[in-house]
Amino acid sequence: MTQAALPTFDDVVAAAQRLQGVAHRTPVLTSRTMNDQLGAQVFFKCENLQRIGAFKFRGAYNALARFTPEQRKGGVLAFSSGNHAQAIAHAAQLLDMPALIVMPEDAPASKMAATRGYGAQVVTYNRFTEDREAITRQLGAERGMTLIPPYNHGDVIAGQGTAAKELLEEVPDLDYLFVCTGGGGLLSGSLLSAKALAPQCKVYGVEPEAGNDMQQSFRSGQIVKIPTPHTIADGAQTQSPGDITFAIIRQHVQDILTVSDEQLVQCLRFYAERMKIVVEPTGALSLAGALHGGVALAGARVGVLISGGNVDLDRLSRFLAD
């Protein structure tokens, strides 16, 4: 991947045009309680209220909207733990093309049901013993479908960057932005938008302590692969960054922070009790990073990008009851 081939903010702008009238322009909420706790002004970009319940719809639709007629006829293939699966399935449904999704057998039941509900065929695998990319490559070769990966793809990254673009247009003078991080699609897209619209804004990626592949990669200067992590943040159970996402992140991110599952549960409880919104564990990474990442935020204007809200209600109730 050469530097010239990386997506740019111009690609984010083009993606925003494709998404206009299709993706929701999600609300930016505030909380006096959190402002008092951090001593800062905090602005929550609520991608849990996006179509399919997560930011992933943006990148999926942008990528599929650029398919050729031949690609549309063959259909789209993807692998995902849940949100990208739903996003690809729904985007394919809107664009009238077949979709086949490879999902881990332990994916949240609500995410798997929603993916099938959008009309996609689902093939399951064991995330701890099987290689999803190998399974997907074989299926793609057999069926002639076009693979759209969950994060390591220029059109996906550009689409994800539209969430931060909207936030920075609405709140243009942010000092800090905290972004949930798995494979880095949302973070790299957010960095493209922040660099163009708010170069003074310091952007932090936040991932689970148990799955700190991005942090290790960023601090070592090269992609590090780890075993599949065990964490309640199922959308961030990645083993390594993508080469495209990492190339953008290593250039522009301030740092990569990590948080514990216990801290994520605390944030889920805050969202439910004080802001009256449903957020999935992965979507709480950004707030947990702002609260526990050791960044001095007093007096600052802080953006928190909530990535999604797809969590089984029985699972959420167990988290809130602990």
Side-chain angles (χ1 to χ4, degrees), residues 31 33-34 37 44 232 261-281 283-285 287-288 291-292 311 315-322:
S31 163
T33 299
M34 188 52 59
Q37 187 169 342
F44 296 88
I232 64 171
D261 280 4
E262 181 181 356
Q263 290 164 344
L264 292 179
V265 170
Q266 292 170 7
C267 292
L268 295 179
R269 187 173 292 116
F270 164 78
Y271 281 129
E273 290 181 348
R274 306 312 296 262
M275 294 186 69
K276 313 305 178 187
I277 57 176
V278 173
V279 177
E280 64 185 275
L285 284 165
L287 177 58
L291 284 167
H292 305 290
V311 56
R315 189 169 182 243
L316 179 61
S317 66
R318 290 197 301 273
F319 291 146
L320 300 181
D322 288 344

Side-chain angles (χ1 to χ4, degrees), residues 25-93:
R25 190 177 180 95
T26 51
V28 177
L29 302 182
T30 58
S31 163
R32 183 177 299 177
T33 299
M34 188 52 59
N35 288 349
D36 291 344
Q37 187 169 342
L38 283 174
Q41 291 180 279
V42 186
F43 302 89
F44 296 88
K45 178 63 170 172
C46 295
E47 285 296 290
N48 55 315
L49 302 179
Q50 185 53 262
R51 292 183 82 153
I52 70 93
F55 75 96
K56 292 279 191 180
F57 177 77
R58 297 173 181 269
Y61 188 90
N62 184 55
L64 269 59
R66 301 199 67 201
F67 272 24
T68 65
E70 184 179 354
Q71 286 177 309
R72 289 193 184 203
K73 184 178 179 180
V76 61
L77 177 65
F79 51 83
S80 166
S81 63
N83 286 339
H84 181 63
Q86 294 174 84
I88 289 290
H90 191 31
Q93 182 185 55

Side-chain angles (χ1 to χ4, degrees), residues 129-190:
T129 62
E130 295 181 281
D131 183 344
R132 66 181 185 178
E133 296 189 37
I135 295 168
T136 308
R137 281 194 301 270
Q138 181 178 344
L139 288 169
E142 291 173 353
R143 305 196 185 193
M145 305 178 95
T146 300
L147 172 65
I148 297 297
Y151 49 85
N152 200 45
H153 188 286
D155 292 335
V156 171
I157 292 167
Q160 317 307 28
T162 62
K165 177 178 179 290
E166 290 175 7
L167 173 60
L168 291 165
E169 288 169 347
E170 191 166 336
V171 189
D173 50 354
L174 287 181
D175 299 303
Y176 297 93
L177 176 61
F178 292 84
V179 182
C180 309
T181 303
L186 182 61
L187 178 56
S188 54
S190 298

